[in-house]
Amino acid sequence: LQPGIELVRDAPVSLQAQLVSRLRELILSGGLAPGTRMLASRELSRQLGISRNTVVLSYDRLIAEGYLEAHGPAGTFVTSSLPESSMGIGTSDRQAVAIDRSRPSTRPLSRRFAAPILHERPKERIPFDFRIGRPDARSFPLKRWRRLLDEKLAKAGKALTEYGNPAGLYELRKALVDHLREARGIEADPEQVIVVGGCEEGLNVVARMLCPSDTRVYVETPCYQGVAFVFASYGAAVKPVPIDDEGLCLDGLPDKGVGLVCVTPSHQFPIGVTMSLNRRLRLLDWARRNGAYVVEDDYDSDFRYTGSPLMALAALDREGCVIYLGTFSKSIGAGLRIGYLVVPPELIGPARETKALINLGNPWLEQAVLAEFIASGSFAQHLRRVRKTYLQRRDALISNLRDNFGDVELLGEEGGMHLTWMLPERGPSARVVQNECLSRDVGVYTIDDGPAFDFGKYRRRDQALFLGYPCLNEDEIGVAIRRLAEQVPSPNLA
Ligand SMILES: Cc1ncc(COP(=O)(O)O)c(C=O)c1O
């Protein structure tokens, strides 16, 4: 009997596939040494109780793959020229072969940046979840999206079989600059736009393009995890800079040797303050004087409820020192994985090359659909609709908090999709309130839950409780906050 062959009859894998894989394993492990004569197909089929044809086809397959050789009437043999050293054949009676077990090591992230970056779904759904950073799945423009998908597919021509421009589909880049002019006051040429797989890829493009090891990158504290971790992963020295109620504190920036400063001026992530105009102008002036680039992450600027949005840094920039980062993760959905960079003219070439090196460009179909979605006015209409819904939910959250807890300190409620409730210094910490809430099926978030990161340094870290409101309707918000008030009575918090 050919040793070690056991076939399972009612397995989902065919007998032939099992036999091929078993014989392959035996040959590679040295159980069947090079030059061994295989049993005749008739004999093996008899011993295994399978059809001869199955054995013949299996041998044919292994001959085609180079494991076996047919020597005419002499029979079928294990290929004699297979290298014994790679076939698990013992070396004890031969000269021992030195085996180098070292492999290229993975680029280590320092311990400081080793917190989990993956935004995994929680194992169990929390019934009243104020999770931050997620749009309401029910408001995804499904009908229109499906129609556009059909239309674009019907007219795709070679678009799905050819490579496109790595910077992105021209129609989308054109639609984006038109949208940015209108919505954010940014004057850019479609050439300056690089379509990327969300802000996360945008940050990777910037880091890869501009950050040789040890480049100093200054980030807000607290900041978006992604920004700190991506730059750190490229070997940059990531430095925390405090924020106050006008945004990034410029006194925290040195005068020399800074490569990049990364900010979220519209709605500081995660605290929510808006960078004042004064601070914006001073930051640009600082960048111009010190030869640094400013990365402006405008992740949720589509939602502004009170006052008019301040002009984007990229709109105020006259010197070409702002790299603007936009995303559709908040306005439409993170599953699309579409964002974009608007780079100063001098970086167009390097940014395109970098993007090409990463993946030669984003998928065509989603770009084509999104381009039409924006150019046809559907995006603006969608934004008007969701803005209205989120505004109602935000208002419901604020009034429920005030009704139940009195004069609460809220930050970041003018825009975006979440707000920060600064708990009183002397009351229970954000972590304690979070745990109390969880016991009543209400999810609220602290600075340690991601995707925020503060180097352990944010002065008010124990007080900051984050509540995202797009995914709960007004009734649900009312129930959730009442539960919270029952669990953590107001005297402790007000
Ligand atoms: C500050 C900030 N920037 C960017 C993003 C989103 O990145 P992406 O476009 O890769 O989904 C998030 C998501 O949570 C964020 O909080």
Side-chain angles (χ1 to χ4, degrees), residues 119 133 197-200 224 264 269 297 299 327 329-330 334 337 451:
H119 306 173
C199 284
E200 197 75 17
Y224 174 51
T264 45
F269 189 86
D297 177 355
Y299 68 108
T327 180
S329 289
K330 311 298 169 190
R337 303 312 304 133

Side-chain angles (χ1 to χ4, degrees), residues 123-289:
K123 289 193 184 57
E124 279 172 37
R125 204 183 142 263
I126 303 172
F128 298 92
D129 196 356
F130 288 103
R131 196 150 173 235
I132 64 173
R134 296 291 186 285
D136 183 1
R138 290 166 293 193
S139 51
F140 187 90
L142 203 54
K143 246 161 96 185
R144 176 83 176 121
W145 204 263
R146 187 178 289 142
R147 188 145 10 98
L148 287 172
L149 273 172
D150 276 348
E151 275 172 39
K152 293 295 165 191
L153 269 177
K155 294 189 203 143
K158 287 189 176 168
L160 284 167
T161 49
E162 297 287 339
Y163 290 98
N165 184 334
L169 192 66
Y170 178 79
E171 290 82 345
L172 177 55
R173 289 184 285 123
K174 172 78 173 68
L176 283 169
V177 295
D178 291 343
H179 168 71
L180 286 173
R181 187 181 311 112
E182 190 70 25
R184 307 295 291 118
I186 298 172
E187 285 296 338
D189 189 277
E191 293 296 290
Q192 291 171 255
V193 178
I194 315 286
V195 178
V196 288
C199 284
E200 197 75 17
E201 193 191 36
L203 291 167
N204 274 277
V205 169
V206 174
R208 191 166 165 155
M209 169 172 75
L210 287 173
C211 281
S213 270
D214 301 330
T215 300
R216 286 202 276 164
V217 176
Y218 284 75
V219 298
E220 299 162 316
T221 320
C223 65
Y224 174 51
Q225 240 181 18
V227 76
F229 291 13
V230 166
F231 285 108
S233 77
Y234 284 85
V238 180
K239 311 273 185 195
V241 185
I243 54 157
D244 61 17
D245 54 8
E246 287 189 70
L248 188 86
C249 296
L250 298 184
D251 329 338
L253 292 175
D255 276 347
K256 278 201 287 290
V258 178
L260 295 169
V261 178
C262 303
V263 285
T264 45
S266 289
H267 193 235
Q268 199 281 331
F269 189 86
I271 300 301
V273 294
T274 303
M275 187 183 282
S276 67
L277 180 61
N278 180 288
R279 204 59 73 79
R280 285 172 200 239
L281 294 171
R282 283 177 48 219
L283 175 60
L284 289 175
D285 186 50
W286 173 91
R288 183 179 55 78
R289 280 187 286 107

Side-chain angles (χ1 to χ4, degrees), residues 317-480:
D317 178 26
R318 299 278 167 266
E319 307 290 333
C321 56
V322 175
I323 299 170
Y324 181 88
L325 200 47
T327 180
F328 289 92
S329 289
K330 311 298 169 190
S331 53
I332 307 182
L336 288 181
R337 303 312 304 133
I338 303 189
Y340 52 95
L341 285 164
V342 183
V343 298
E346 67 188 9
L347 292 180
I348 295 173
R352 285 188 169 199
E353 278 164 25
T354 309
K355 172 66 180 167
L357 281 173
I358 292 175
N359 58 10
L360 295 175
N362 276 39
W364 172 82
L365 187 56
E366 278 76 15
Q367 292 190 71
V369 169
L370 181 58
E372 185 74 32
F373 189 69
I374 300 171
S376 64
S378 297
F379 181 51
Q381 200 185 348
H382 164 79
L383 281 181
R384 280 195 295 277
R385 189 167 54 83
V386 242
R387 242 182 237 136
K388 196 168 150 215
T389 309
Y390 294 175
L391 172 61
Q392 286 161 351
R393 294 177 181 180
R394 179 204 76 148
D395 287 348
L397 176 58
I398 295 175
S399 61
N400 273 285
L401 285 172
R402 298 224 158 104
D403 289 349
N404 286 279
F405 296 100
D407 192 15
V408 287
E409 181 185 353
L410 302 179
L411 293 173
E413 75 278 24
E414 299 88 0
M417 298 156 68
H418 73 273
L419 54 75
T420 307
W421 179 8
M422 277 297 174
L423 303 176
E425 233 167 320
R426 281 190 295 279
S429 70
R431 174 66 74 203
V432 169
V433 174
Q434 179 184 47
N435 288 335
E436 296 288 344
C437 285
L438 256 187
S439 69
R440 299 294 308 272
D441 288 339
V442 178
V444 292
Y445 294 87
T446 76
I447 217 151
D448 290 322
D449 297 322
F453 183 68
D454 80 332
F455 302 78
K457 285 201 161 143
Y458 180 49
R459 189 172 59 81
R460 306 184 78 186
R461 67 188 327 277
D462 290 338
Q463 290 171 262
L465 199 64
F466 304 106
L467 293 96
Y469 41 80
C471 302
L472 296 177
N473 66 31
E474 287 129 276
D475 292 340
E476 291 165 332
I477 289 172
V479 174

